[in-house]
Amino acid sequence: QVQLVESGGALVQTGGSLKLSCAASGNDFSTSAIHWFRQAPGKGLEWVSTVTSSGGYVSYTNSVKGRFAISRDNAENMVFLQMNNLKPEDTARYYCSEIPPSRATSATFPPGRGTQVTVSS
């Protein structure tokens, strides 16, 4: 099992950049695909990006393609989400998880999890 902690969220202006971090512990990290999700106020959980266990394959939801980049460092047990050209619609609480999009729900992330990204217009 993998335990994950997100960090790096902040208030940023439109067009700005942020780099989110996901620190992992547990024996299964290096063999697990890791996913980023986000949830905006009043909206459902949205899948954002996935990186495979080796980092050799990445995927993104259409709205962030060309602006976000996911990466991982298995030696340091870290996953990152570099977010560029941020837009107000990127405002959300961001979560990382080893649970795939087909199974993740809002209930997957208890209060206190995640990191807040707020993009001002």
Side-chain angles (χ1 to χ4, degrees):
Q1 193 171 356
V2 180
Q3 292 79 45
L4 301 165
V5 178
E6 306 89 347
S7 63
L11 172 63
V12 64
Q13 291 186 334
T14 296
S17 297
L18 282 174
K19 187 174 184 178
L20 304 186
S21 297
C22 174
S25 60
N27 295 329
D28 297 332
F29 172 75
S30 64
T31 60
S32 300
I34 300 296
H35 318 275
W36 282 98
F37 300 88
R38 65 186 179 185
Q39 187 162 18
K43 296 190 176 181
L45 190 70
E46 178 186 22
W47 168 75
V48 176
S49 183
T50 293
V51 60
T52 54
S53 58
S54 67
Y57 179 78
V58 298
S59 57
Y60 303 94
T61 192
N62 285 339
S63 63
V64 308
K65 282 181 181 177
R67 299 189 297 122
F68 289 14
I70 191 171
S71 61
R72 68 190 293 161
D73 183 340
N74 284 346
E76 297 293 331
N77 281 10
M78 297 290 294
V79 175
F80 305 100
L81 187 67
Q82 177 68 45
M83 306 188 298
N84 299 324
N85 191 22
L86 282 161
K87 304 176 180 180
E89 51 263 43
D90 295 317
T91 294
R93 195 159 187 88
Y94 284 71
Y95 306 92
C96 59
S97 179
E98 79 282 15
I99 298 174
S102 59
R103 292 197 287 121
T105 68
S106 297
T108 302
F109 306 104
R113 279 289 309 273
T115 187
Q116 180 66 37
V117 172
T118 303
V119 184
S120 63
S121 57

